[in-house]
Amino acid sequence: QVQLVESGGGSVQAGGSLRLSCAASGFTVSDYCVAWFRSAPGKEREGVASMSHLGRTTYAASVEGRFTTSRDNAQNTVYLQMNSLKPDDTAVYSCARVRGVVAVGFVDYWGQGTQVTVS
């Protein structure tokens, strides 16, 4: 049974940092692309970062240079380090297993999401 469980969200002041974790079970993260998406009220869900099975990373322009995704194969966990946070980064962040292009339509499993609030 595939599961993705996020943790690490919370409230932070602008300019601060948070690290989100996505603990996976039922599959091996190094065999798949795992991506981070975020959803904010009134906005479309946005893919913000991804790491392919080969370890290749991609980032949305809005977070490039501030967010970093990584993984720990031994822990079967993917991380999203978020620095220099802005109020516009406020959203529910979800990790997802992606089969193909990093887009909502190619996600086959979602985590439950974790709230990030930047004030």
Side-chain angles (χ1 to χ4, degrees), residues 39-84:
S39 301
K43 298 182 181 179
E44 276 194 35
R45 184 174 292 189
E46 175 188 23
V48 296
S50 70
M51 176 173 280
S52 74
H53 66 290
L54 296 175
R56 187 172 302 156
T57 57
T58 64
Y59 299 95
S62 56
V63 306
E64 182 85 51
R66 300 187 297 121
F67 289 13
T68 303
T69 189
S70 61
R71 71 184 178 211
D72 183 330
N73 293 339
Q75 298 294 323
N76 210 37
T77 297
V78 178
Y79 301 97
L80 184 67
Q81 177 67 44
M82 306 185 294
N83 298 329
S84 302

Side-chain angles (χ1 to χ4, degrees), residues 32 37 40 49 58 65 77 93:
Y32 289 86
F37 291 81
T58 64
T77 297
Y93 286 73

